[in-house]
Amino acid sequence: MSPRARTNQLLYQAELLLAVPPGEDEHAEARRMATEEAALALTELALESLLREVTEHARLERHDWRDLLGAEGAGIAELHRLRELAMRPESWLGWLLQRIEALHASEGVARRRNSSQQGLIAVGSGAALGDELRACLREAKSEIAALRETSEEW
């Protein structure tokens, strides 16, 4: 499978997970949290696949996002573009990298919904992780199309 096909597959699988309703039994909240974290983990794999895809022409040995998107990463135009996005916390990539870091922390990233506050209007960023991840994936897919276009020029 090509890196492009793998990236597409992983993004699709993450979206499929997010589309599955958690159900209404006593395990629904835990199932929702597990699904959100699983979709985020697949998105991390998709990010690494994307990095492999857009750097194919450079024949890099490693494709870890921490290395390639860090300050010491390769001087490839697509990586520079992604580094700039990663530095902006409000961008899809800035948001994603923060959540991936939290995913790897001992607390995880998915949170239980506070049942005592379900009737209250949320102020600020009270969106569920799954909803935020869906929005992130939509924005990422637009950016991926542009990155692929510039990468294909090589």
Side-chain angles (χ1 to χ4, degrees):
M1 180 177 295
S2 71
R4 181 180 188 142
R6 181 64 174 152
T7 302
N8 290 343
Q9 179 187 48
L10 290 164
L11 291 170
Y12 176 67
Q13 289 172 344
E15 289 175 321
L16 281 178
L17 279 176
L18 292 172
V20 175
E24 296 180 21
D25 62 7
E26 68 272 13
H27 303 291
E29 188 72 359
R31 192 176 300 112
R32 178 194 56 80
M33 292 170 61
T35 299
E36 290 173 346
E37 290 201 353
L40 185 59
L42 283 171
T43 305
E44 180 181 14
L45 291 174
L47 175 61
E48 290 206 358
S49 182
L50 171 66
L51 293 173
R52 182 174 290 109
E53 177 185 340
V54 299
T55 60
E56 269 185 313
H57 61 279
R59 295 187 175 22
L60 301 176
E61 290 181 29
R62 296 178 40 93
H63 296 93
D64 182 82
W65 65 265
R66 289 171 190 85
D67 295 337
L68 294 180
L69 297 180
E72 302 298 317
I76 298 170
E78 292 83 3
L79 293 180
H80 179 69
R81 183 173 173 170
L82 288 169
R83 273 188 215 104
E84 286 179 348
L85 271 176
M87 288 189 272
R88 295 190 348 244
E90 74 283 358
S91 73
W92 68 268
L93 186 55
W95 180 91
L96 179 63
L97 296 180
Q98 289 173 5
R99 297 318 177 282
I100 290 171
E101 290 291 346
L103 178 68
H104 289 276
S106 53
E107 297 85 33
V109 70
R111 297 286 176 255
R112 290 196 175 278
R113 293 191 178 131
N114 189 343
S115 59
S116 66
Q117 295 181 352
Q118 283 182 345
L120 298 177
I121 297 173
V123 177
S125 180
L129 176 62
D131 295 336
E132 291 178 328
L133 184 53
R134 275 185 209 87
C136 174
L137 289 171
R138 276 192 304 276
E139 290 178 42
K141 286 165 50 174
S142 294
E143 187 72 31
I144 289 168
L147 284 169
R148 284 175 172 163
E149 196 171 301
T150 59
S151 181
E152 285 174 1
E153 291 172 6
W154 288 100

